[in-house]
Amino acid sequence: MLLSELVTTTDQVAATSSRLAKIEAIAALLRRADADDIAPLVGLLLATPRQGRLGVGWRGLTALAIEHSATSTLTIAEVDHAFDTLVHTSGSGSAGVRSALLHDLAARATAPEWDFLTRAMLGELRTGALGGVLLDAIARAAEAPAATVRRAAMLSGDLGETALLALTGAEGALDEVGLRVGRPVLPMLAATAPTPTAALEITGRASVEYKLDGARIQVHRRGDEVGIYTRSLADVTHRLPEIVEVVRGLPAQEVILDGETLALDEDGGPRPFQETMSRFGADAARELALRPWFFDVLHVDGRDLLDEPLSVRQGVLAEVAGEWRMPGIVTDSAEEAERLSREALAAGHEGVLVKAVDAPYAAGRRGKSWVKVKPVLTFDLVVLGAEWGSGRRRGWLSNLHLGARDPDGDFGDPGGFVMVGKTFKGLTDALLQWQTEEFPAHETHRSASTVFLRPELVVEIAIDGVQRSPRYPGGLALRFARVKGYRPDKTAAEADTIQTLLALRRGAADDS
């Protein structure tokens, strides 16, 4: 398949606000694709190449001075091969090889094709062809039930492979996709509530558990072979040997566990999130030990537990995890839930998670079976820009421009971001220095006062609420916004939406 067919389709998708039209355009493209093109095509549609991070940056791509091809001859397969080569080129002289490879790819592409590839490599496509639309398009193209496609994608953790199976596999192949020890699945996600009492009103009788300010981990074990994966399904096993040893000591030969990990200080209290995340980087500080807590079990010794209610899974978890289980209680008492929340906060943790005891594990879904409660509202937003500081902050990039995701294009750009406020509160000197050094690598342009950024960096912002404001495009502004920390474990596609913030504003209006 020619790359130009994909570019034309994404232009069509970006030009319409109709979800059905987006689905049909992508489905038509998938029907025309050869089997070998399906997985790379899906990766390009999502701006997440199947090879993962390609190690290319905005400056390197935009610095290429190239005369592009006048005709469309570049194929999806050729692009995929070039990406493979980029990922596997390393060592002495690799920079020159990679630069030559990008130069050749750019020269063979037309100007619109290179613009598309640049944005796909940088994760900046804004077509509105997000995961939900693409899932439905795959189902439409394969004439398969959307629920079946969605479950297969969640359990495989790979939308490209799911599309390939749906479009080329034998009848019933999607139904056969199940849990496999060693293959991570997308994690179940939580909604939010202001108090444990409010959360219980949503869930009914529930397991109320500590909510840690740590890193989500999914652990797989088969015999002595252990795999540890992040919430984005990245393999970090080699970085966390102490957790590998904990898992090897559990009383199960085959097990899949969901949990969280955190670094503790000398008094047993939680260290800041950034210190925990430092263990996941290339220059991990191994002297900082991480401790795991497990709160769910998906499989044990040949038995799949995804569709079992939480009450059953917890019984199994108690036997398998033992002392490594997340603290919590099962209750339908608001008083007991509030008490545990106070206990968690007193121990230095974020709050509690309230989970319906009759709910199955919904991989990759954010429903109302799990509800997180924090004493302060926090949202994951994207940095759109930063202003140069004044006074003692002179010379540092300080005041952040914050954006919420707009998946449906309600405020203009499907899949884009809507500015919802600014803040310089909560920024330590260390963060100010880091921002000043890091932000230019994400820069699109600048004015005398502001450096504008590509929407790539996710920052966790605490707020006391939202209020109406004509100052920003979304019609609202954040109240008392302050920085809790950056979230290198999350992508911009996981940022909170403008619709979530608008719902919070409506809720506040209803209560007034």
Side-chain angles (χ1 to χ4, degrees):
M1 173 178 280
L2 289 174
L3 177 63
S4 59
E5 293 186 64
L6 174 55
V7 175
T8 299
T9 299
T10 56
D11 288 343
Q12 293 172 353
V13 170
T16 179
S17 60
S18 167
R19 181 183 175 88
L20 289 177
K22 293 178 190 289
I23 291 170
E24 186 50 50
I26 298 171
L29 179 72
L30 290 169
R31 292 188 197 103
R32 299 194 303 271
D34 294 332
D36 290 343
D37 290 335
I38 291 173
L41 186 152
V42 168
L44 288 170
L45 275 169
L46 292 173
T48 55
R50 68 175 187 84
Q51 293 83 359
R53 295 182 182 275
L54 301 178
V56 297
W58 179 79
R59 289 186 183 277
L61 291 174
T62 56
L64 294 172
I66 293 168
E67 183 175 344
H68 297 291
S69 173
T71 57
S72 296
T73 61
L74 194 59
T75 67
I76 298 289
E78 289 169 333
V79 171
D80 190 54
H81 177 71
F83 286 0
D84 272 338
T85 306
L86 274 174
V87 167
H88 294 106
T89 299
S90 60
S92 177
S94 61
V97 174
R98 288 165 60 85
S99 178
L101 179 65
L102 287 171
H103 190 282
D104 177 66
L105 188 63
R108 296 175 61 197
T110 65
E113 290 169 354
W114 182 244
D115 175 69
F116 171 88
L117 287 176
T118 296
R119 291 183 289 123
M121 285 188 276
L122 296 175
E124 285 188 6
L125 283 181
R126 298 185 186 179
T127 64
L130 300 177
V133 170
L134 188 49
L135 276 167
D136 288 343
I138 293 168
R140 177 75 62 86
E143 298 182 354
T148 302
V149 174
R150 184 174 292 108
R151 181 176 174 85
M154 299 311 176
L155 294 182
S156 69
D158 190 323
L159 195 52
E161 289 303 313
T162 300
L164 180 62
L165 190 62
L167 291 161
T168 66
E171 184 176 354
L174 287 174
D175 294 312
E176 295 175 4
V177 176
L179 278 177
R180 183 191 303 166
V181 178
R183 182 178 67 187
V185 302
L186 295 175
M188 187 168 176
L189 305 174
T192 59
T195 66
T197 299
L200 275 179
E201 292 174 355
I202 297 171
T203 63
R205 185 169 178 78
S207 175
V208 185
E209 306 165 7
Y210 280 22
K211 171 70 179 75
L212 309 185
D213 188 17
R216 187 83 173 262
I217 54 171
Q218 186 179 131
V219 171
H220 292 237
R221 175 189 174 189
R222 178 183 286 115
D224 285 337
E225 185 178 340
V226 174
I228 305 174
Y229 307 92
T230 66
R231 61 176 289 139
S232 61
L233 310 188
D235 188 339
V236 292
T237 310
H238 62 293
R239 302 194 189 281
L240 307 175
E242 68 271 42
I243 297 180
V244 170
E245 289 307 307
V246 167
V247 176
R248 283 178 177 160
L250 299 178
Q253 287 302 300
E254 277 195 357
V255 68
I256 301 175
L257 296 164
D258 194 359
E260 201 157 6
T261 186
L262 187 68
L264 301 176
D265 61 23
E266 295 78 4
D267 299 321
R271 290 183 180 272
F273 175 77
Q274 284 71 25
E275 294 190 29
T276 293
M277 289 308 300
S278 70
R279 281 295 309 277
F280 291 79
D283 300 319
R286 289 295 176 87
E287 68 276 5
L288 186 67
L290 297 183
R291 193 244 198 240
W293 282 266
F294 299 113
F295 50 69
D296 218 324
V297 56
L298 312 186
H299 176 96
V300 63
D301 291 335
R303 179 186 176 190
D304 285 350
L305 297 164
L306 272 179
D307 297 323
E308 298 283 357
L310 177 61
S311 56
V312 171
R313 302 199 308 275
Q314 285 195 327
V316 176
L317 181 67
E319 297 176 2
V320 173
E323 65 178 299
W324 306 104
R325 186 180 174 187
M326 185 75 76
I329 59 173
V330 175
T331 184
D332 53 12
S333 164
E335 181 179 347
E336 287 298 305
E338 296 284 356
R339 180 194 60 76
L340 189 79
S341 178
R342 291 192 295 271
E343 179 185 305
L345 294 170
H349 301 299
E350 279 194 322
V352 292
L353 269 170
V354 180
K355 305 175 180 178
V357 294
D358 59 353
Y361 189 97
R365 301 294 296 277
R366 189 189 303 277
K368 294 186 177 180
S369 297
W370 286 14
V371 184
K372 59 185 176 182
V373 180
K374 301 180 184 180
V376 174
L377 296 170
T378 63
F379 295 90
D380 295 319
L381 302 176
V382 170
V383 181
L384 302 178
E387 298 171 6
W388 292 103
S390 59
R392 66 175 300 273
R393 294 190 176 192
R394 184 176 299 279
W396 280 340
L397 285 169
S398 177
N399 202 14
L400 302 178
H401 294 197
L402 303 170
R405 190 161 51 87
D406 182 16
D408 298 324
D410 290 346
F411 294 87
D413 188 4
F417 296 84
V418 183
M419 188 171 175
V420 292
K422 301 180 182 182
T423 190
F424 56 82
K425 298 182 184 298
L427 292 171
T428 63
D429 286 357
L431 275 180
L432 289 166
Q433 182 174 347
W434 177 84
Q435 290 178 174
T436 305
E437 294 171 353
E438 178 67 19
F439 283 5
H442 305 267
E443 178 183 344
T444 59
H445 63 287
R446 65 175 62 192
S447 66
S449 62
T450 306
V451 174
F452 297 93
L453 310 180
R454 299 188 305 279
E456 297 171 341
L457 299 172
V458 178
V459 63
E460 186 177 17
I461 300 293
I463 65 171
D464 288 358
V466 298
Q467 59 193 21
R468 296 180 184 276
S469 172
R471 184 175 182 183
Y472 301 114
L476 58 79
L478 310 177
R479 296 181 64 245
F480 305 112
R482 57 270 193 200
V483 173
K484 287 201 67 181
Y486 281 86
R487 296 300 305 257
D489 60 324
K490 292 190 176 183
T491 66
E494 297 179 274
D496 284 297
T497 67
I498 182 66
Q499 288 77 18
T500 298
L501 294 173
L502 287 170
L504 183 65
R505 188 192 71 190
R506 287 192 293 269
D510 292 342
D511 292 339
S512 62

